[in-house]
Amino acid sequence: MKKDKKQAAVGFIFITLLLDVIGWGIIIPVIPKLITELIHGDLSEAARIGGWLTFAYAITQFVFAPIIGNLSDRYGRRPVLLASLFAFSLDYVLLAFAPTISWLFIGRILSGITGASVTTAAAYIADVSSSENRAKNFGLIGAAFGLGFIIGPVIGGFLGQYGSRIPFYATAILCMLNFLYGYFILPESLPKEKRRVFHWKRANPIGSFVHLKKYPIIIGLVLAVFFLHTASHAVHSNWAYFTMFQFDWDEKMVGYSLGVVGLLVALVQGVLIRWIHPRLGNKKSIFLGLLFYLIGMILFAVAYESWMIFVFLIPYCLGGIAGPALQGVISNQVPDNEQGEIQGTLTSLMSASAIIGPPIMTGMFYQFTKKEATYVFAGAPFVFGALLLAVSMLLAFYSFKKHKID
């Protein structure tokens, strides 16, 4: 693929991801309200159930992400991505009509099975990127998430005023539009001569992790990614519940706050990283980013006024320079025809962190906010997240020192 076509392809995948994330962001502000309606409980109990909903999504994605990644190495990125987007639109229709909490779990499981968009998009970007610009292009994934979270939660917070199910209908429509966009616009990125045979042994989560033994240089960094993503669930899984409990926010305010998060993430990963990464390099970007994440977590934990949250988002979002740098270093150690597999493995690792992270973080929130709590401290999950980030930093330091990675 020629250079100008590669740049256009990166633009196409950015738009596809952006529409996907907007759809995801639309439903976040109303999830607490929908759960409380279905279980007839309070916010603390809803947080605990919300953590298990994320667990249901994550454990199915953990199993299926390597299959999806390997299928994209065999048949190409485009058909796998399109199938995922179409399935997502059907899933959100199911969630919109959910009469009981059990239906929400069924919907999340179906989403986990077909949730290949990020896996395949990452492999797509690896296909059309050189080793020099992979970290910058991987940053576009974060930028799409950031921009999607500017638009999606604000729309969701607004629509949520008219009913907790309205945002799900909007998301289903958006996912279908995304499918149609991909069908007519998105080109294939993996040439047939670079495709490989599908092997079930390599298309399962355990097999994909065992395959990492071929590349011992990246194992420590992969573990660092795992602890980073596990720590992030202190924020991702608790944000709506924490802000509603601590500051008495409504769905609209949660949506606006996530819009600010999205703006900051988009600026960091879409603009700042493309300026700062060439100057700092991968190693410094990783350690500086992890430090910013850690500081942000501690500050969230001690926030007691609404305005503090918005100020403390700045160091936390600056931490976003770490993820693409880590992903870029890992990707550079893997051959072209195994990029789908390694990205599938990383997605499985993210799913593994989401199997562990949300139940722990929302469970911790529940224990420290329930009516019977001995000591009320809604920021407890953030403190634990900061400790996990410290572990991530140590693992990355060990890997760079032992293997002398540039």
Side-chain angles (χ1 to χ4, degrees), residues 14 47 52 77 95 116 143 153 167 189 209 229 306 331 354 403:
F14 174 79
W52 287 110
R77 318 301 184 200
L95 293 174
S189 65
F209 291 148
H229 285 295
S306 288
S331 178
H403 298 291

Short mmCIF file of all heavy atoms in Angstrom, two decimals, residues 14 47 52 77 95 116 143 153 167 189 209 229 306 331 354 403:
data_model
loop_
_atom_site.label_atom_id
_atom_site.label_comp_id
_atom_site.label_asym_id
_atom_site.label_seq_id
_atom_site.Cartn_x
_atom_site.Cartn_y
_atom_site.Cartn_z
N PHE A 14 -9.69 5.38 11.85
CA PHE A 14 -9.95 6.35 12.92
C PHE A 14 -11.44 6.69 12.98
O PHE A 14 -12.04 6.70 14.07
CB PHE A 14 -9.12 7.62 12.71
CG PHE A 14 -9.45 8.72 13.69
CD1 PHE A 14 -8.94 8.68 14.97
CD2 PHE A 14 -10.25 9.78 13.31
CE1 PHE A 14 -9.24 9.70 15.89
CE2 PHE A 14 -10.56 10.79 14.21
CZ PHE A 14 -10.04 10.74 15.50
N ALA A 47 -23.47 -0.33 41.60
CA ALA A 47 -22.04 -0.36 41.25
C ALA A 47 -21.52 -1.79 41.28
O ALA A 47 -20.76 -2.21 40.38
CB ALA A 47 -21.25 0.52 42.22
N TRP A 52 -19.94 -6.67 37.78
CA TRP A 52 -20.14 -8.03 37.27
C TRP A 52 -20.62 -8.03 35.82
O TRP A 52 -20.33 -8.96 35.06
CB TRP A 52 -21.11 -8.80 38.16
CG TRP A 52 -20.47 -9.17 39.46
CD1 TRP A 52 -20.75 -8.68 40.69
CD2 TRP A 52 -19.41 -10.13 39.65
NE1 TRP A 52 -19.93 -9.25 41.65
CE2 TRP A 52 -19.10 -10.15 41.03
CE3 TRP A 52 -18.70 -10.97 38.78
CZ2 TRP A 52 -18.11 -10.97 41.56
CZ3 TRP A 52 -17.71 -11.79 39.30
CH2 TRP A 52 -17.43 -11.79 40.68
N ARG A 77 -8.53 -7.97 7.64
CA ARG A 77 -9.11 -7.17 8.73
C ARG A 77 -10.55 -6.73 8.43
O ARG A 77 -11.40 -6.70 9.31
CB ARG A 77 -8.25 -5.91 8.97
CG ARG A 77 -6.76 -6.11 8.95
CD ARG A 77 -6.24 -7.11 9.97
NE ARG A 77 -4.79 -7.18 9.95
CZ ARG A 77 -4.08 -8.18 10.42
NH1 ARG A 77 -4.68 -9.23 10.96
NH2 ARG A 77 -2.76 -8.18 10.36
N LEU A 95 -30.25 -4.79 24.33
CA LEU A 95 -30.11 -4.09 25.61
C LEU A 95 -31.22 -3.06 25.82
O LEU A 95 -31.69 -2.85 26.94
CB LEU A 95 -28.74 -3.41 25.68
CG LEU A 95 -27.51 -4.34 25.74
CD1 LEU A 95 -26.23 -3.53 25.66
CD2 LEU A 95 -27.52 -5.18 27.00
N ALA A 116 -14.68 -7.25 18.51
CA ALA A 116 -13.37 -7.34 17.86
C ALA A 116 -12.89 -6.02 17.29
O ALA A 116 -11.83 -5.96 16.69
CB ALA A 116 -13.45 -8.36 16.72
N ALA A 143 -6.92 8.60 20.63
CA ALA A 143 -7.58 9.83 20.22
C ALA A 143 -9.03 9.58 19.83
O ALA A 143 -9.92 10.39 20.13
CB ALA A 143 -6.82 10.46 19.04
N PRO A 153 -20.75 10.56 25.68
CA PRO A 153 -21.38 10.75 26.99
C PRO A 153 -22.23 12.01 27.09
O PRO A 153 -23.23 12.02 27.81
CB PRO A 153 -20.18 10.82 27.94
CG PRO A 153 -19.10 10.09 27.24
CD PRO A 153 -19.29 10.39 25.79
N PRO A 167 -30.88 6.18 25.09
CA PRO A 167 -29.51 6.14 24.54
C PRO A 167 -29.15 4.82 23.87
O PRO A 167 -28.32 4.80 22.95
CB PRO A 167 -28.63 6.37 25.79
CG PRO A 167 -29.50 7.15 26.72
CD PRO A 167 -30.87 6.58 26.51
N SER A 189 -6.47 -3.98 4.56
CA SER A 189 -5.10 -3.56 4.85
C SER A 189 -4.09 -4.69 4.77
O SER A 189 -2.89 -4.44 4.68
CB SER A 189 -5.03 -2.93 6.25
OG SER A 189 -5.31 -3.91 7.25
N PHE A 209 -1.09 -16.74 24.92
CA PHE A 209 -0.14 -16.35 25.95
C PHE A 209 1.12 -17.23 25.89
O PHE A 209 2.23 -16.75 26.06
CB PHE A 209 -0.76 -16.43 27.34
CG PHE A 209 -1.82 -15.40 27.59
CD1 PHE A 209 -2.90 -15.67 28.41
CD2 PHE A 209 -1.75 -14.15 26.99
CE1 PHE A 209 -3.88 -14.73 28.65
CE2 PHE A 209 -2.73 -13.20 27.21
CZ PHE A 209 -3.80 -13.48 28.04
N HIS A 229 -3.89 -1.70 32.75
CA HIS A 229 -5.33 -1.79 32.44
C HIS A 229 -6.15 -2.19 33.66
O HIS A 229 -7.29 -1.73 33.82
CB HIS A 229 -5.55 -2.76 31.28
CG HIS A 229 -5.18 -2.21 29.94
ND1 HIS A 229 -5.83 -1.15 29.37
CD2 HIS A 229 -4.20 -2.56 29.07
CE1 HIS A 229 -5.29 -0.87 28.20
NE2 HIS A 229 -4.29 -1.70 28.00
N SER A 306 -16.42 19.15 43.57
CA SER A 306 -16.58 18.82 42.15
C SER A 306 -15.49 19.42 41.28
O SER A 306 -14.97 18.78 40.36
CB SER A 306 -17.95 19.28 41.66
OG SER A 306 -18.99 18.49 42.18
N SER A 331 4.76 -4.08 19.58
CA SER A 331 4.48 -4.36 18.18
C SER A 331 5.75 -4.44 17.34
O SER A 331 5.86 -5.26 16.42
CB SER A 331 3.54 -3.29 17.61
OG SER A 331 3.29 -3.51 16.25
N ALA A 354 -10.00 -6.81 32.76
CA ALA A 354 -11.40 -6.42 32.99
C ALA A 354 -12.20 -7.53 33.67
O ALA A 354 -13.28 -7.27 34.20
CB ALA A 354 -12.07 -6.05 31.65
N HIS A 403 16.55 -6.40 29.03
CA HIS A 403 16.63 -6.70 27.60
C HIS A 403 17.23 -5.54 26.79
O HIS A 403 17.37 -5.68 25.56
CB HIS A 403 15.24 -7.04 27.06
CG HIS A 403 14.64 -8.25 27.68
ND1 HIS A 403 15.11 -9.52 27.47
CD2 HIS A 403 13.59 -8.39 28.57
CE1 HIS A 403 14.40 -10.39 28.16
NE2 HIS A 403 13.48 -9.73 28.84
#
